[in-house]
Amino acid sequence: MCATVLAVDFGTSNSAAAMLEAGAVRRIPIETGAETLPTAVFFPAENGAMRIGSEAGKALIDGEEGRYMRALKSILGTTLFHETRWVGGKRRSLAEIVTAFLAVVKQRAEAQTGQDFSHVLSGRPVHFHSADPERDARAEADLRGCYEAAGFTEIRFLFEPEAAAHAANPDEREDALGLILDIGGGTSDFSLFRRNGSKTEILASHGIRLGGTDFDQEISMNHVMPLLGHGGLLRRSFGEGLLPVPNAIYRDLSNWASIPFLYVRETERAVEDLLRHAVESEKIGRLQDVITEQLGHELAFAVERGKIAANRESAAARIDLGFIDPALSARITPGSLNAALSGFREKLRTAIMETFLLAQIPPNRVDSLVLVGGSSLMRLVSDEAREICPGATLRRSDAFTAVVDGLALASAEAFSA
């Protein structure tokens, strides 16, 4: 039975697959030469075959005409997930697109292993949506439906930080306590656990809807969007005085999930109206170029690269915006990065402390802090964790594969009942 279970970490930014083989984790390269792939799709403009992962990103970078989409997981549990839109020459829903992505993952895993995977153990965040149990349940139902439509007949879920706990290497001392900090693209999840021999005991799990895409959005709003007119002023159509430029387009343009939905005539008309009334028309003109030339994802990738550089404490980091204007860039420093993300520190701290409250265990009892997920590499995460648990050892797990490894290790037990 275990050999037929596919472990899938369907992430906001990256995905991975694995299986348990002879008691050991076997990661399955569902993208050539890589153990993970970007959770992204590209649909050519006129009915071409869907591309996923790095191939989708390459099509975007190469300037192929079509629709690029990323961060689809963040739409689970919303009405938008089942609405149809014109994508790649036909009307499709996001549910159909996620299903197609998972179907390719299944097909590639089967081709790589020679197995027929009818069973899947999928990771899921502790909460898809913070403080909204109804939407949270709907999100899992949405994802379950996609797995079913992709060809799986038995589907089970495990909280992502609990999966990571199965793969963690905590303090070797008997009864040592570990805290998983799984900071992904869309959610931050925490599990307090104890390892008893080969057994992993989960003491409490908690999570909030906050992740790397939120970090990117705030960095973009603080560093890039002012160069496109955000924070500027508009002249009134009638009468004297000035009005602030509305925020809505900028918020959507800085959000991975909402970028594709800006490329409609309604948005173009709204930007044209802004341009007619703008005090700083050059900046709004850049916004118009981004919308009409569909440069939103290139902008988001540039912000992501700048974030990584500044997080490495590069004082000379810049967000290169040459694809909008050859001379355009935005300076980003460790200090400006910290300022942009300062509002998230209290949310992270509160969520971590709530995990300890759920377990009724004080933070000073923790022996190991285990960082998981791409966004756990951000300094604000390790800084907050160290401040809460100053006596704990900080351990960096395999950021992008810890969850899928743990899912594979837990797969036999998940389907034993």
PDB file of all heavy atoms in Angstrom, residues 14-52:
ATOM      1  N   ASN A  14       6.082  26.908  -4.621  1.00  0.00           N
ATOM      2  CA  ASN A  14       6.776  25.734  -5.155  1.00  0.00           C
ATOM      3  C   ASN A  14       6.056  24.459  -4.739  1.00  0.00           C
ATOM      4  O   ASN A  14       5.397  24.425  -3.696  1.00  0.00           O
ATOM      5  CB  ASN A  14       8.223  25.692  -4.649  1.00  0.00           C
ATOM      6  CG  ASN A  14       9.057  26.853  -5.144  1.00  0.00           C
ATOM      7  OD1 ASN A  14       9.516  26.849  -6.284  1.00  0.00           O
ATOM      8  ND2 ASN A  14       9.245  27.856  -4.295  1.00  0.00           N
ATOM      9  N   SER A  15       6.193  23.432  -5.546  1.00  0.00           N
ATOM     10  CA  SER A  15       5.576  22.135  -5.264  1.00  0.00           C
ATOM     11  C   SER A  15       6.616  21.024  -5.382  1.00  0.00           C
ATOM     12  O   SER A  15       7.655  21.201  -6.021  1.00  0.00           O
ATOM     13  CB  SER A  15       4.407  21.864  -6.224  1.00  0.00           C
ATOM     14  OG  SER A  15       3.343  22.774  -6.016  1.00  0.00           O
ATOM     15  N   ALA A  16       6.311  19.891  -4.743  1.00  0.00           N
ATOM     16  CA  ALA A  16       7.226  18.755  -4.776  1.00  0.00           C
ATOM     17  C   ALA A  16       6.433  17.471  -4.586  1.00  0.00           C
ATOM     18  O   ALA A  16       5.308  17.486  -4.064  1.00  0.00           O
ATOM     19  CB  ALA A  16       8.293  18.891  -3.691  1.00  0.00           C
ATOM     20  N   ALA A  17       7.031  16.353  -4.999  1.00  0.00           N
ATOM     21  CA  ALA A  17       6.407  15.041  -4.842  1.00  0.00           C
ATOM     22  C   ALA A  17       7.447  14.045  -4.358  1.00  0.00           C
ATOM     23  O   ALA A  17       8.648  14.172  -4.643  1.00  0.00           O
ATOM     24  CB  ALA A  17       5.792  14.571  -6.158  1.00  0.00           C
ATOM     25  N   ALA A  18       6.982  13.059  -3.606  1.00  0.00           N
ATOM     26  CA  ALA A  18       7.886  12.029  -3.082  1.00  0.00           C
ATOM     27  C   ALA A  18       7.077  10.779  -2.780  1.00  0.00           C
ATOM     28  O   ALA A  18       5.838  10.778  -2.825  1.00  0.00           O
ATOM     29  CB  ALA A  18       8.609  12.521  -1.824  1.00  0.00           C
ATOM     30  N   MET A  19       7.777   9.695  -2.451  1.00  0.00           N
ATOM     31  CA  MET A  19       7.127   8.460  -2.042  1.00  0.00           C
ATOM     32  C   MET A  19       8.035   7.763  -1.035  1.00  0.00           C
ATOM     33  O   MET A  19       9.218   8.098  -0.898  1.00  0.00           O
ATOM     34  CB  MET A  19       6.860   7.552  -3.247  1.00  0.00           C
ATOM     35  CG  MET A  19       8.115   7.092  -3.951  1.00  0.00           C
ATOM     36  SD  MET A  19       7.792   6.052  -5.415  1.00  0.00           S
ATOM     37  CE  MET A  19       7.212   4.562  -4.617  1.00  0.00           C
ATOM     38  N   LEU A  20       7.472   6.808  -0.329  1.00  0.00           N
ATOM     39  CA  LEU A  20       8.244   5.989   0.607  1.00  0.00           C
ATOM     40  C   LEU A  20       8.626   4.707  -0.107  1.00  0.00           C
ATOM     41  O   LEU A  20       7.763   3.971  -0.594  1.00  0.00           O
ATOM     42  CB  LEU A  20       7.413   5.695   1.855  1.00  0.00           C
ATOM     43  CG  LEU A  20       8.188   5.218   3.084  1.00  0.00           C
ATOM     44  CD1 LEU A  20       9.150   6.305   3.567  1.00  0.00           C
ATOM     45  CD2 LEU A  20       7.209   4.857   4.201  1.00  0.00           C
ATOM     46  N   GLU A  21       9.917   4.448  -0.180  1.00  0.00           N
ATOM     47  CA  GLU A  21      10.418   3.274  -0.895  1.00  0.00           C
ATOM     48  C   GLU A  21      11.403   2.544   0.009  1.00  0.00           C
ATOM     49  O   GLU A  21      12.432   3.099   0.381  1.00  0.00           O
ATOM     50  CB  GLU A  21      11.087   3.698  -2.202  1.00  0.00           C
ATOM     51  CG  GLU A  21      11.495   2.553  -3.096  1.00  0.00           C
ATOM     52  CD  GLU A  21      11.997   3.045  -4.441  1.00  0.00           C
ATOM     53  OE1 GLU A  21      13.101   3.638  -4.477  1.00  0.00           O
ATOM     54  OE2 GLU A  21      11.291   2.867  -5.439  1.00  0.00           O
ATOM     55  N   ALA A  22      11.055   1.309   0.376  1.00  0.00           N
ATOM     56  CA  ALA A  22      11.891   0.509   1.277  1.00  0.00           C
ATOM     57  C   ALA A  22      12.192   1.258   2.562  1.00  0.00           C
ATOM     58  O   ALA A  22      13.306   1.202   3.092  1.00  0.00           O
ATOM     59  CB  ALA A  22      13.179   0.092   0.573  1.00  0.00           C
ATOM     60  N   GLY A  23      11.190   1.977   3.057  1.00  0.00           N
ATOM     61  CA  GLY A  23      11.324   2.679   4.322  1.00  0.00           C
ATOM     62  C   GLY A  23      12.046   4.007   4.252  1.00  0.00           C
ATOM     63  O   GLY A  23      12.214   4.679   5.271  1.00  0.00           O
ATOM     64  N   ALA A  24      12.485   4.410   3.059  1.00  0.00           N
ATOM     65  CA  ALA A  24      13.214   5.673   2.903  1.00  0.00           C
ATOM     66  C   ALA A  24      12.463   6.592   1.952  1.00  0.00           C
ATOM     67  O   ALA A  24      11.697   6.141   1.084  1.00  0.00           O
ATOM     68  CB  ALA A  24      14.616   5.415   2.381  1.00  0.00           C
ATOM     69  N   VAL A  25      12.701   7.889   2.114  1.00  0.00           N
ATOM     70  CA  VAL A  25      12.054   8.873   1.248  1.00  0.00           C
ATOM     71  C   VAL A  25      12.721   8.876  -0.122  1.00  0.00           C
ATOM     72  O   VAL A  25      13.944   8.940  -0.238  1.00  0.00           O
ATOM     73  CB  VAL A  25      12.140  10.282   1.859  1.00  0.00           C
ATOM     74  CG1 VAL A  25      11.586  11.325   0.890  1.00  0.00           C
ATOM     75  CG2 VAL A  25      11.395  10.335   3.187  1.00  0.00           C
ATOM     76  N   ARG A  26      11.900   8.798  -1.156  1.00  0.00           N
ATOM     77  CA  ARG A  26      12.388   8.951  -2.527  1.00  0.00           C
ATOM     78  C   ARG A  26      11.722  10.188  -3.117  1.00  0.00           C
ATOM     79  O   ARG A  26      10.519  10.192  -3.373  1.00  0.00           O
ATOM     80  CB  ARG A  26      12.061   7.720  -3.372  1.00  0.00           C
ATOM     81  CG  ARG A  26      12.446   7.907  -4.847  1.00  0.00           C
ATOM     82  CD  ARG A  26      12.056   6.710  -5.691  1.00  0.00           C
ATOM     83  NE  ARG A  26      12.300   6.950  -7.107  1.00  0.00           N
ATOM     84  CZ  ARG A  26      11.996   6.086  -8.083  1.00  0.00           C
ATOM     85  NH1 ARG A  26      11.442   4.915  -7.774  1.00  0.00           N
ATOM     86  NH2 ARG A  26      12.235   6.388  -9.341  1.00  0.00           N
ATOM     87  N   ARG A  27      12.481  11.249  -3.274  1.00  0.00           N
ATOM     88  CA  ARG A  27      11.946  12.441  -3.930  1.00  0.00           C
ATOM     89  C   ARG A  27      11.845  12.188  -5.425  1.00  0.00           C
ATOM     90  O   ARG A  27      12.748  11.602  -6.025  1.00  0.00           O
ATOM     91  CB  ARG A  27      12.842  13.645  -3.667  1.00  0.00           C
ATOM     92  CG  ARG A  27      12.921  14.038  -2.199  1.00  0.00           C
ATOM     93  CD  ARG A  27      13.940  15.145  -1.982  1.00  0.00           C
ATOM     94  NE  ARG A  27      14.173  15.370  -0.557  1.00  0.00           N
ATOM     95  CZ  ARG A  27      15.231  15.999  -0.082  1.00  0.00           C
ATOM     96  NH1 ARG A  27      16.163  16.462  -0.918  1.00  0.00           N
ATOM     97  NH2 ARG A  27      15.376  16.169   1.221  1.00  0.00           N
ATOM     98  N   ILE A  28      10.760  12.638  -6.002  1.00  0.00           N
ATOM     99  CA  ILE A  28      10.485  12.359  -7.414  1.00  0.00           C
ATOM    100  C   ILE A  28      10.691  13.640  -8.219  1.00  0.00           C
ATOM    101  O   ILE A  28       9.993  14.633  -7.988  1.00  0.00           O
ATOM    102  CB  ILE A  28       9.043  11.839  -7.595  1.00  0.00           C
ATOM    103  CG1 ILE A  28       8.826  10.593  -6.741  1.00  0.00           C
ATOM    104  CG2 ILE A  28       8.774  11.540  -9.061  1.00  0.00           C
ATOM    105  CD1 ILE A  28       7.376  10.141  -6.677  1.00  0.00           C
ATOM    106  N   PRO A  29      11.624  13.655  -9.148  1.00  0.00           N
ATOM    107  CA  PRO A  29      11.867  14.861  -9.944  1.00  0.00           C
ATOM    108  C   PRO A  29      10.752  15.076 -10.975  1.00  0.00           C
ATOM    109  O   PRO A  29      10.806  14.547 -12.084  1.00  0.00           O
ATOM    110  CB  PRO A  29      13.213  14.585 -10.617  1.00  0.00           C
ATOM    111  CG  PRO A  29      13.305  13.090 -10.686  1.00  0.00           C
ATOM    112  CD  PRO A  29      12.575  12.560  -9.479  1.00  0.00           C
ATOM    113  N   ILE A  30       9.757  15.856 -10.598  1.00  0.00           N
ATOM    114  CA  ILE A  30       8.643  16.112 -11.522  1.00  0.00           C
ATOM    115  C   ILE A  30       8.965  17.263 -12.466  1.00  0.00           C
ATOM    116  O   ILE A  30       8.122  17.654 -13.282  1.00  0.00           O
ATOM    117  CB  ILE A  30       7.330  16.378 -10.757  1.00  0.00           C
ATOM    118  CG1 ILE A  30       7.534  17.394  -9.642  1.00  0.00           C
ATOM    119  CG2 ILE A  30       6.768  15.082 -10.197  1.00  0.00           C
ATOM    120  CD1 ILE A  30       6.283  17.712  -8.866  1.00  0.00           C
ATOM    121  N   GLU A  31      10.189  17.778 -12.343  1.00  0.00           N
ATOM    122  CA  GLU A  31      10.737  18.702 -13.335  1.00  0.00           C
ATOM    123  C   GLU A  31      12.169  18.253 -13.586  1.00  0.00           C
ATOM    124  O   GLU A  31      12.892  17.914 -12.644  1.00  0.00           O
ATOM    125  CB  GLU A  31      10.689  20.141 -12.818  1.00  0.00           C
ATOM    126  CG  GLU A  31      11.183  21.158 -13.833  1.00  0.00           C
ATOM    127  CD  GLU A  31      10.798  22.572 -13.451  1.00  0.00           C
ATOM    128  OE1 GLU A  31       9.697  23.016 -13.831  1.00  0.00           O
ATOM    129  OE2 GLU A  31      11.603  23.239 -12.774  1.00  0.00           O
ATOM    130  N   THR A  32      12.593  18.230 -14.814  1.00  0.00           N
ATOM    131  CA  THR A  32      13.889  17.670 -15.172  1.00  0.00           C
ATOM    132  C   THR A  32      15.011  18.280 -14.347  1.00  0.00           C
ATOM    133  O   THR A  32      15.193  19.501 -14.314  1.00  0.00           O
ATOM    134  CB  THR A  32      14.180  17.909 -16.671  1.00  0.00           C
ATOM    135  OG1 THR A  32      13.126  17.338 -17.447  1.00  0.00           O
ATOM    136  CG2 THR A  32      15.500  17.270 -17.066  1.00  0.00           C
ATOM    137  N   GLY A  33      15.737  17.411 -13.644  1.00  0.00           N
ATOM    138  CA  GLY A  33      16.905  17.846 -12.903  1.00  0.00           C
ATOM    139  C   GLY A  33      16.615  18.604 -11.626  1.00  0.00           C
ATOM    140  O   GLY A  33      17.519  19.211 -11.049  1.00  0.00           O
ATOM    141  N   ALA A  34      15.374  18.576 -11.144  1.00  0.00           N
ATOM    142  CA  ALA A  34      15.032  19.342  -9.938  1.00  0.00           C
ATOM    143  C   ALA A  34      14.074  18.550  -9.061  1.00  0.00           C
ATOM    144  O   ALA A  34      13.243  17.787  -9.549  1.00  0.00           O
ATOM    145  CB  ALA A  34      14.400  20.675 -10.307  1.00  0.00           C
ATOM    146  N   GLU A  35      14.213  18.730  -7.748  1.00  0.00           N
ATOM    147  CA  GLU A  35      13.334  18.045  -6.797  1.00  0.00           C
ATOM    148  C   GLU A  35      12.091  18.859  -6.464  1.00  0.00           C
ATOM    149  O   GLU A  35      11.184  18.373  -5.795  1.00  0.00           O
ATOM    150  CB  GLU A  35      14.107  17.737  -5.512  1.00  0.00           C
ATOM    151  CG  GLU A  35      15.231  16.733  -5.736  1.00  0.00           C
ATOM    152  CD  GLU A  35      16.025  16.449  -4.478  1.00  0.00           C
ATOM    153  OE1 GLU A  35      16.090  17.352  -3.613  1.00  0.00           O
ATOM    154  OE2 GLU A  35      16.566  15.337  -4.361  1.00  0.00           O
ATOM    155  N   THR A  36      12.052  20.115  -6.895  1.00  0.00           N
ATOM    156  CA  THR A  36      10.865  20.957  -6.740  1.00  0.00           C
ATOM    157  C   THR A  36      10.610  21.673  -8.052  1.00  0.00           C
ATOM    158  O   THR A  36      11.484  21.711  -8.932  1.00  0.00           O
ATOM    159  CB  THR A  36      11.054  22.008  -5.625  1.00  0.00           C
ATOM    160  OG1 THR A  36      12.075  22.933  -6.026  1.00  0.00           O
ATOM    161  CG2 THR A  36      11.456  21.355  -4.308  1.00  0.00           C
ATOM    162  N   LEU A  37       9.407  22.211  -8.192  1.00  0.00           N
ATOM    163  CA  LEU A  37       9.128  23.041  -9.358  1.00  0.00           C
ATOM    164  C   LEU A  37       8.243  24.204  -8.941  1.00  0.00           C
ATOM    165  O   LEU A  37       7.440  24.083  -7.995  1.00  0.00           O
ATOM    166  CB  LEU A  37       8.461  22.248 -10.486  1.00  0.00           C
ATOM    167  CG  LEU A  37       6.951  22.026 -10.478  1.00  0.00           C
ATOM    168  CD1 LEU A  37       6.482  21.556 -11.842  1.00  0.00           C
ATOM    169  CD2 LEU A  37       6.541  21.023  -9.415  1.00  0.00           C
ATOM    170  N   PRO A  38       8.382  25.353  -9.601  1.00  0.00           N
ATOM    171  CA  PRO A  38       7.506  26.478  -9.274  1.00  0.00           C
ATOM    172  C   PRO A  38       6.039  26.113  -9.517  1.00  0.00           C
ATOM    173  O   PRO A  38       5.710  25.454 -10.506  1.00  0.00           O
ATOM    174  CB  PRO A  38       7.969  27.576 -10.241  1.00  0.00           C
ATOM    175  CG  PRO A  38       9.366  27.201 -10.608  1.00  0.00           C
ATOM    176  CD  PRO A  38       9.384  25.701 -10.619  1.00  0.00           C
ATOM    177  N   THR A  39       5.184  26.518  -8.595  1.00  0.00           N
ATOM    178  CA  THR A  39       3.743  26.293  -8.771  1.00  0.00           C
ATOM    179  C   THR A  39       3.219  27.394  -9.682  1.00  0.00           C
ATOM    180  O   THR A  39       2.637  28.390  -9.239  1.00  0.00           O
ATOM    181  CB  THR A  39       3.016  26.304  -7.420  1.00  0.00           C
ATOM    182  OG1 THR A  39       3.693  25.418  -6.517  1.00  0.00           O
ATOM    183  CG2 THR A  39       1.574  25.832  -7.572  1.00  0.00           C
ATOM    184  N   ALA A  40       3.459  27.212 -10.962  1.00  0.00           N
ATOM    185  CA  ALA A  40       3.111  28.224 -11.958  1.00  0.00           C
ATOM    186  C   ALA A  40       2.664  27.533 -13.235  1.00  0.00           C
ATOM    187  O   ALA A  40       3.105  26.419 -13.537  1.00  0.00           O
ATOM    188  CB  ALA A  40       4.311  29.128 -12.243  1.00  0.00           C
ATOM    189  N   VAL A  41       1.788  28.200 -13.971  1.00  0.00           N
ATOM    190  CA  VAL A  41       1.315  27.676 -15.249  1.00  0.00           C
ATOM    191  C   VAL A  41       1.365  28.780 -16.291  1.00  0.00           C
ATOM    192  O   VAL A  41       1.316  29.973 -15.961  1.00  0.00           O
ATOM    193  CB  VAL A  41      -0.131  27.121 -15.150  1.00  0.00           C
ATOM    194  CG1 VAL A  41      -0.208  25.973 -14.164  1.00  0.00           C
ATOM    195  CG2 VAL A  41      -1.106  28.224 -14.753  1.00  0.00           C
ATOM    196  N   PHE A  42       1.471  28.374 -17.541  1.00  0.00           N
ATOM    197  CA  PHE A  42       1.427  29.315 -18.666  1.00  0.00           C
ATOM    198  C   PHE A  42       0.554  28.727 -19.753  1.00  0.00           C
ATOM    199  O   PHE A  42       0.741  27.575 -20.144  1.00  0.00           O
ATOM    200  CB  PHE A  42       2.839  29.585 -19.204  1.00  0.00           C
ATOM    201  CG  PHE A  42       2.864  30.579 -20.338  1.00  0.00           C
ATOM    202  CD1 PHE A  42       2.939  31.937 -20.081  1.00  0.00           C
ATOM    203  CD2 PHE A  42       2.797  30.154 -21.660  1.00  0.00           C
ATOM    204  CE1 PHE A  42       2.945  32.868 -21.123  1.00  0.00           C
ATOM    205  CE2 PHE A  42       2.805  31.058 -22.708  1.00  0.00           C
ATOM    206  CZ  PHE A  42       2.881  32.428 -22.432  1.00  0.00           C
ATOM    207  N   PHE A  43      -0.411  29.517 -20.202  1.00  0.00           N
ATOM    208  CA  PHE A  43      -1.282  29.113 -21.295  1.00  0.00           C
ATOM    209  C   PHE A  43      -0.994  30.001 -22.500  1.00  0.00           C
ATOM    210  O   PHE A  43      -1.178  31.220 -22.440  1.00  0.00           O
ATOM    211  CB  PHE A  43      -2.755  29.262 -20.906  1.00  0.00           C
ATOM    212  CG  PHE A  43      -3.232  28.257 -19.906  1.00  0.00           C
ATOM    213  CD1 PHE A  43      -3.188  28.545 -18.550  1.00  0.00           C
ATOM    214  CD2 PHE A  43      -3.723  27.031 -20.307  1.00  0.00           C
ATOM    215  CE1 PHE A  43      -3.623  27.625 -17.617  1.00  0.00           C
ATOM    216  CE2 PHE A  43      -4.164  26.095 -19.382  1.00  0.00           C
ATOM    217  CZ  PHE A  43      -4.121  26.398 -18.028  1.00  0.00           C
ATOM    218  N   PRO A  44      -0.502  29.412 -23.608  1.00  0.00           N
ATOM    219  CA  PRO A  44      -0.320  30.217 -24.819  1.00  0.00           C
ATOM    220  C   PRO A  44      -1.646  30.856 -25.242  1.00  0.00           C
ATOM    221  O   PRO A  44      -2.728  30.338 -24.937  1.00  0.00           O
ATOM    222  CB  PRO A  44       0.159  29.193 -25.857  1.00  0.00           C
ATOM    223  CG  PRO A  44       0.766  28.098 -25.037  1.00  0.00           C
ATOM    224  CD  PRO A  44      -0.065  28.027 -23.787  1.00  0.00           C
ATOM    225  N   ALA A  45      -1.551  31.969 -25.932  1.00  0.00           N
ATOM    226  CA  ALA A  45      -2.747  32.753 -26.262  1.00  0.00           C
ATOM    227  C   ALA A  45      -3.759  31.974 -27.084  1.00  0.00           C
ATOM    228  O   ALA A  45      -4.968  32.153 -26.920  1.00  0.00           O
ATOM    229  CB  ALA A  45      -2.343  34.033 -26.985  1.00  0.00           C
ATOM    230  N   GLU A  46      -3.289  31.117 -27.967  1.00  0.00           N
ATOM    231  CA  GLU A  46      -4.212  30.441 -28.883  1.00  0.00           C
ATOM    232  C   GLU A  46      -4.155  28.928 -28.742  1.00  0.00           C
ATOM    233  O   GLU A  46      -3.569  28.226 -29.561  1.00  0.00           O
ATOM    234  CB  GLU A  46      -3.912  30.858 -30.333  1.00  0.00           C
ATOM    235  CG  GLU A  46      -4.125  32.331 -30.615  1.00  0.00           C
ATOM    236  CD  GLU A  46      -5.569  32.774 -30.394  1.00  0.00           C
ATOM    237  OE1 GLU A  46      -6.484  31.933 -30.531  1.00  0.00           O
ATOM    238  OE2 GLU A  46      -5.766  33.951 -30.063  1.00  0.00           O
ATOM    239  N   ASN A  47      -4.716  28.424 -27.666  1.00  0.00           N
ATOM    240  CA  ASN A  47      -4.988  26.988 -27.521  1.00  0.00           C
ATOM    241  C   ASN A  47      -3.757  26.080 -27.547  1.00  0.00           C
ATOM    242  O   ASN A  47      -3.877  24.895 -27.847  1.00  0.00           O
ATOM    243  CB  ASN A  47      -5.970  26.512 -28.602  1.00  0.00           C
ATOM    244  CG  ASN A  47      -7.335  27.140 -28.439  1.00  0.00           C
ATOM    245  OD1 ASN A  47      -7.869  27.195 -27.338  1.00  0.00           O
ATOM    246  ND2 ASN A  47      -7.886  27.644 -29.534  1.00  0.00           N
ATOM    247  N   GLY A  48      -2.579  26.584 -27.209  1.00  0.00           N
ATOM    248  CA  GLY A  48      -1.422  25.711 -27.109  1.00  0.00           C
ATOM    249  C   GLY A  48      -1.459  24.921 -25.814  1.00  0.00           C
ATOM    250  O   GLY A  48      -2.292  25.156 -24.935  1.00  0.00           O
ATOM    251  N   ALA A  49      -0.541  23.961 -25.680  1.00  0.00           N
ATOM    252  CA  ALA A  49      -0.510  23.116 -24.487  1.00  0.00           C
ATOM    253  C   ALA A  49      -0.071  23.925 -23.268  1.00  0.00           C
ATOM    254  O   ALA A  49       0.833  24.769 -23.343  1.00  0.00           O
ATOM    255  CB  ALA A  49       0.439  21.942 -24.708  1.00  0.00           C
ATOM    256  N   MET A  50      -0.704  23.665 -22.127  1.00  0.00           N
ATOM    257  CA  MET A  50      -0.329  24.300 -20.870  1.00  0.00           C
ATOM    258  C   MET A  50       1.086  23.877 -20.482  1.00  0.00           C
ATOM    259  O   MET A  50       1.466  22.732 -20.621  1.00  0.00           O
ATOM    260  CB  MET A  50      -1.309  23.884 -19.763  1.00  0.00           C
ATOM    261  CG  MET A  50      -0.982  24.468 -18.396  1.00  0.00           C
ATOM    262  SD  MET A  50      -1.986  23.742 -17.060  1.00  0.00           S
ATOM    263  CE  MET A  50      -1.176  22.137 -16.867  1.00  0.00           C
ATOM    264  N   ARG A  51       1.863  24.837 -19.976  1.00  0.00           N
ATOM    265  CA  ARG A  51       3.190  24.545 -19.457  1.00  0.00           C
ATOM    266  C   ARG A  51       3.196  24.850 -17.970  1.00  0.00           C
ATOM    267  O   ARG A  51       2.508  25.766 -17.516  1.00  0.00           O
ATOM    268  CB  ARG A  51       4.243  25.392 -20.176  1.00  0.00           C
ATOM    269  CG  ARG A  51       4.316  25.096 -21.662  1.00  0.00           C
ATOM    270  CD  ARG A  51       5.256  26.036 -22.372  1.00  0.00           C
ATOM    271  NE  ARG A  51       4.731  26.416 -23.664  1.00  0.00           N
ATOM    272  CZ  ARG A  51       5.290  27.318 -24.457  1.00  0.00           C
ATOM    273  NH1 ARG A  51       6.385  27.938 -24.058  1.00  0.00           N
ATOM    274  NH2 ARG A  51       4.751  27.603 -25.623  1.00  0.00           N
ATOM    275  N   ILE A  52       3.993  24.090 -17.227  1.00  0.00           N
ATOM    276  CA  ILE A  52       4.039  24.296 -15.785  1.00  0.00           C
ATOM    277  C   ILE A  52       5.481  24.462 -15.317  1.00  0.00           C
ATOM    278  O   ILE A  52       6.427  24.179 -16.056  1.00  0.00           O
ATOM    279  CB  ILE A  52       3.366  23.138 -15.003  1.00  0.00           C
ATOM    280  CG1 ILE A  52       4.231  21.881 -15.038  1.00  0.00           C
ATOM    281  CG2 ILE A  52       1.976  22.851 -15.541  1.00  0.00           C
ATOM    282  CD1 ILE A  52       3.765  20.790 -14.087  1.00  0.00           C
TER     283      ILE A  52
END
